[in-house]
Amino acid sequence: MNFSYYLQLLIGGVSNGAMYAIIAVGWALIFSILKFSNFAHGGTMVCSAYLGLLATRIIGANLWLTLAVAALCGGLINILVELISFHRLRKSSKQVLLFFVSSITMGMLLQNLVTLRFSGLFYSYPNFFKQRFFRIGNISFDISNFMMLAIAAVILGILILVLQKTRFGMAVRALSVDPRTTSLMGVNVDLVVLATFFIAGALAGVAGVFVGIRTILSPQIGSMYTVKGFMVAVIGGLGSLNGALFASLILGLVETAFSVILGTSLAPVGTFFFVLIFLFLRPQGLAGVFAMEKA
Amino acid sequence: MLQIRNLCVNYDHVVALDDVTLSVEKGSAVSIIGSNGAGKSTLLNTISGVVKRRSGEILLNNRPLPTSPHEVVKAGIIQVPEGRRVFPNLTVAENLLMGGWRISASAAKKKMREMYELFPILGQRRSQLAGTLSGGEQQMLAIARGLMAEPQILLLDEPSLGLAPVLVNQVFDIITEIVRSGITVLLVEQNARKAMMISDYTYVLENGRIRKHGKSADLFNDEEIKRAYLGG
């Protein structure tokens, strides 16, 4: 136990957080425009993770192509999610419960489709990196952690730019506070919603590949990361992108810390306990906009 | 230019508009007056496509007006909604650009400069969030945002609501100016006196039906209208 050990843990934790950030920002995007959570997010993620895995069998262990395939699949799957489980409800109902039931059902369906095709077996991604570690002085670093961190940072940077600087981003921000007036300005709201679902799905696809790199794929990661994504979104303050980013970082670090203190099998207990205490102290989440009834 | 024939709108089982027929001539200002709940906003929202009609026709230049909101804007009709409804989390400039959604980005930039000349206060506050503006400034922004679309017809829903008297006059001056520039205006107002003073033609809406209509100048001297809407 020395400095380099803690440094590696820190980097591992931050990179873990970056993976959550990719999930949670997709989650927050949907919440911000529609004011409900898409519980099919994990389903989209697990589907595209497996499709990415299939892609590696055809194109080989190419990280960039795999990411692109998974992102594209995630985006397209999420468009189906919108059209099948949300579109009609959005037009006819304001009942949050219906959205909850509809999206969680969709998530289960997606996850079970994966189970049908791959059974419950465990799969793992091929090794994308020739070298697993690199060394600076006496300290060796896991390359995959660095890559994931860098990719997440670039993707999130682009997303923020798109939201802040483009006409589309402006429409998304307008839509998030006032859908009706946004449509009165001539914006085709349905199209913007679909595009947002595509982006969130693409993020879920990238997250799926990250999960595949970090751990072993099984269909259950769908529901597991739905829970974690929801957790991060709630800690961040539902619908807030900045909040989601910070919450992801915190959760990534906390989880890594607990896996050292309690061991990996007990780590989730520590994490959930942390979340409970956090929500007890600050139920409105980091961003501070109270959205209790909207979950 | 705009013709509405036998329009009926229901909210569940409540009749909101009952057999409304009216027409708006190109380049004119038409006002619709009536008390709260008479169906004035419903009428504008039905034209804009955010409220679905049960029956009836809406024609723009003798062609049926599309029924989805973004297509209505594309056709050249934009609404300045009741309560201003600026986007509080967007800057003044971004609010204007939202209004200019139907025109190209470069045309919108150009139009924005025009708006800053027409409303200097908006120019001064262009990078401020719209939510931080005062009520009067927000109303100016809402009107400017509507004009950004370069509409053929501007629908104004209660533009004077909740404003101080000085600002009310200013808003009506601006509307007069808009009409003079060649844009057709359909104005919904509770402030019947002001609305009739600046419009060519007036429809009186009561419980979802057109009760009376005529040239604003004529209705101004109508005893019944005087009693009911102009305070004796």
Side-chain angles (χ1 to χ4, degrees):
Chain A
M1 299 265 180
N2 51 24
F3 170 71
S4 75
Y5 175 73
Y6 289 111
L7 187 64
Q8 280 162 4
L9 274 186
L10 181 69
I11 291 167
V14 173
S15 143
N16 193 18
M19 179 185 74
Y20 285 132
I22 295 283
I23 300 173
V25 165
W27 194 293
L29 258 184
I30 299 296
F31 190 92
S32 75
I33 59 164
L34 298 181
K35 307 294 174 248
F36 58 75
S37 288
N38 170 17
F39 288 94
H41 202 69
T44 303
M45 191 194 84
V46 75
C47 268
S48 34
Y50 275 83
L51 288 166
L53 179 72
L54 281 183
T56 61
R57 296 187 174 168
I58 299 163
I59 57 180
N62 182 324
L63 176 64
W64 306 113
L65 275 176
T66 309
L67 281 173
V69 169
L72 184 65
C73 293
L76 294 176
I77 292 168
N78 237 20
I79 282 185
L80 287 180
V81 169
E82 204 284 321
L83 292 176
I84 296 171
S85 37
F86 292 127
H87 196 79
R88 283 178 63 85
L89 280 182
R90 278 202 295 119
K91 307 267 163 185
S92 60
S93 170
K94 294 274 168 276
Q95 279 203 351
V96 177
L97 185 67
L98 293 180
F99 291 112
F100 175 75
V101 172
S102 170
S103 67
I104 215 160
T105 310
M106 191 66 190
M108 281 299 152
L109 175 69
L110 289 170
Q111 182 170 325
N112 285 310
L113 283 176
V114 172
T115 316
L116 269 181
R117 171 66 182 75
F118 295 90
S119 69
L121 296 176
F122 295 100
Y123 287 86
S124 62
Y125 267 60
N127 209 341
F128 288 113
F129 310 99
K130 289 196 183 75
Q131 245 184 316
R132 270 216 66 173
F133 298 96
F134 70 92
R135 299 176 70 88
I136 298 175
N138 281 333
I139 313 167
S140 67
F141 297 98
D142 188 335
I143 289 180
S144 63
N145 274 343
F146 265 98
M147 283 303 279
M148 284 191 271
L149 190 56
I151 293 167
V154 169
I155 289 176
L156 295 176
I158 292 172
L159 182 70
I160 288 168
L161 272 182
V162 166
L163 285 176
Q164 292 300 326
K165 299 290 175 201
T166 65
R167 270 187 137 191
F168 167 74
M170 195 171 73
V172 170
R173 282 182 288 138
L175 188 54
S176 74
V177 291
D178 195 340
R180 186 182 173 116
T181 306
T182 307
S183 72
L184 283 178
M185 295 299 111
V187 176
N188 187 342
V189 168
D190 285 341
L191 212 59
V192 175
V193 168
L194 272 184
T196 310
F197 263 87
F198 182 86
I199 293 174
L203 290 170
V206 170
V209 175
F210 283 5
V211 171
I213 293 174
R214 294 186 69 91
T215 61
I216 294 166
L217 287 183
S218 69
Q220 285 74 35
I221 63 170
S223 35
M224 187 166 104
Y225 282 91
T226 295
V227 172
K228 286 188 173 177
F230 183 52
M231 225 157 66
V232 175
V234 170
I235 293 177
L238 279 163
S240 157
L241 296 192
N242 293 337
L245 283 178
F246 280 111
S248 308
L249 194 64
I250 292 173
L251 200 72
L253 289 169
V254 165
E255 204 175 56
T256 309
F258 276 122
S259 67
V260 174
I261 300 166
L262 301 173
T264 35
S265 54
L266 273 180
V269 179
T271 312
F272 284 116
F273 196 64
F274 168 83
V275 173
L276 275 181
I277 291 181
F278 178 91
L279 289 180
F280 182 71
L281 295 174
R282 197 172 165 78
Q284 72 272 45
L286 285 174
V289 185
F290 208 75
M292 193 175 154
E293 291 158 42
K294 295 172 176 174
Chain B
M1 181 179 213
L2 181 73
Q3 265 155 347
I4 295 175
R5 289 190 196 140
N6 313 107
L7 187 68
C8 296
V9 174
N10 286 19
Y11 291 123
D12 292 323
H13 296 295
V14 183
V15 177
L17 289 180
D18 185 10
D19 201 22
V20 168
T21 296
L22 62 85
S23 72
V24 179
E25 295 306 318
K26 189 172 165 57
S28 68
V30 171
S31 56
I32 296 166
I33 61 172
S35 56
N36 248 337
K40 306 188 301 295
S41 295
T42 301
L43 177 61
L44 291 197
N45 284 330
T46 311
I47 298 171
S48 281
V50 288
V51 168
K52 299 293 163 222
R53 68 188 93 147
R54 199 188 68 202
S55 62
E57 298 187 288
I58 303 177
L59 302 174
L60 176 66
N61 301 326
N62 298 319
R63 286 217 302 266
L65 188 70
T67 49
S68 60
H70 67 275
E71 283 172 324
V72 172
V73 175
K74 207 187 258 175
I77 300 181
I78 196 163
Q79 188 189 138
V80 178
E82 183 180 353
R84 309 183 260 281
R85 293 275 178 180
V86 296
F87 300 108
N89 59 333
L90 266 56
T91 64
V92 168
E94 286 174 329
N95 266 277
L96 292 177
L97 290 174
M98 282 304 295
W101 187 265
R102 96 182 180 108
I103 59 178
S104 73
S106 56
K109 288 259 161 62
K110 205 174 129 217
K111 191 79 191 165
M112 196 155 71
R113 281 195 291 276
E114 256 176 63
M115 288 302 124
Y116 290 152
E117 274 168 36
L118 199 58
F119 304 94
I121 187 75
L122 298 182
Q124 287 165 30
R125 302 185 189 269
R126 66 184 78 182
S127 37
Q128 219 170 301
L129 290 182
T132 66
L133 300 183
S134 71
E137 290 163 352
Q138 288 191 6
Q139 187 61 61
M140 302 300 164
L141 177 57
I143 293 174
R145 185 180 62 178
L147 292 174
M148 283 291 294
E150 301 185 334
Q152 299 184 54
I153 303 179
L154 189 68
L155 309 176
L156 289 158
D157 196 352
E158 306 268 11
S160 75
L161 196 70
L163 295 183
V166 180
L167 292 169
V168 170
N169 288 335
Q170 209 180 331
V171 164
F172 281 105
D173 286 347
I174 289 166
I175 297 170
T176 310
E177 204 57 44
I178 291 169
V179 179
R180 203 172 291 157
S181 76
I183 297 171
T184 307
V185 166
L186 182 55
L187 168 71
V188 152
E189 258 295 338
Q190 281 201 57
N191 190 335
R193 179 183 301 275
K194 290 274 182 197
M196 288 166 74
M197 270 162 65
I198 64 154
S199 62
D200 306 301
Y201 206 87
T202 296
Y203 288 87
V204 182
L205 207 55
E206 257 175 36
N207 297 323
R209 294 181 136 260
I210 302 274
R211 178 69 195 279
K212 253 190 177 144
H213 61 96
K215 286 192 174 137
S216 300
D218 296 344
L219 284 189
F220 221 96
N221 297 317
D222 185 298
E223 285 304 320
E224 208 181 339
I225 301 289
K226 269 189 189 166
R227 252 199 326 277
Y229 296 103
L230 301 173

